[in-house]
Amino acid sequence: MHFKLSVDLVTSHLRMALLHVFVCLLGLVVLCHSDCTFQELVIKDLNNPPTGCEDQDGKEHEFDSEWVKDCMSCSCSQEGVNCCNMVSGAGEFDVPEECELIADKQTCSVKIVLKSDKTKECFPV
């Protein structure tokens, strides 16, 4: 009985270690596969060149500025606006059927949770 308890404990620690490795790899893949878009700067009046970029909401941003909105990290240059999704790539994972991958727009992060109880993280086998 003592041997079975030790095996169960080792198995439990191994699963936790594998989960930590999986979560770290998930983060790396998300960072490496960020979806980015580029909107070229449009000069409407050559006599009155722009002093910055206009975002999709029509807000003006100065050249060489950066901002984050809705988990999109954007920057303005004299060439235009470059924006990268901070939580993209999430659809590229094989998530077990009983689990789902959810994005948290407050923290711009993703996690895998059980479909039946979203408060519990899913432990892939």
Side-chain angles (χ1 to χ4, degrees), residues 21-91:
V21 169
F22 178 77
V23 170
C24 289
L25 289 174
L26 175 69
L28 283 174
V29 172
V30 168
L31 288 174
C32 292
H33 287 94
S34 294
D35 293 327
C36 296
T37 60
F38 180 76
Q39 180 182 340
E40 190 172 342
L41 184 69
V42 176
I43 300 174
K44 298 174 185 172
D45 182 359
L46 291 175
N47 295 324
N48 189 18
T51 58
C53 306
E54 190 174 295
D55 66 18
Q56 291 182 334
D57 296 329
K59 183 178 178 183
E60 183 83 16
H61 297 273
E62 294 180 359
F63 289 131
D64 300 320
S65 64
E66 297 178 357
W67 65 96
V68 174
K69 182 174 182 196
D70 296 331
C71 296
M72 294 292 287
S73 175
C74 300
S75 62
C76 171
S77 71
Q78 293 186 357
E79 287 78 36
V81 177
N82 187 51
C83 292
C84 294
N85 187 342
M86 298 167 63
V87 292
S88 68

Side-chain angles (χ1 to χ4, degrees), residues 99-119:
C99 306
E100 67 180 310
L101 189 69
I102 59 171
D104 182 345
K105 288 198 174 191
Q106 298 270 331
T107 61
C108 296
S109 62
V110 293
K111 65 181 178 178
I112 301 174
V113 296
L114 290 171
K115 288 180 181 177
S116 60
D117 185 352
K118 294 185 184 352
T119 63

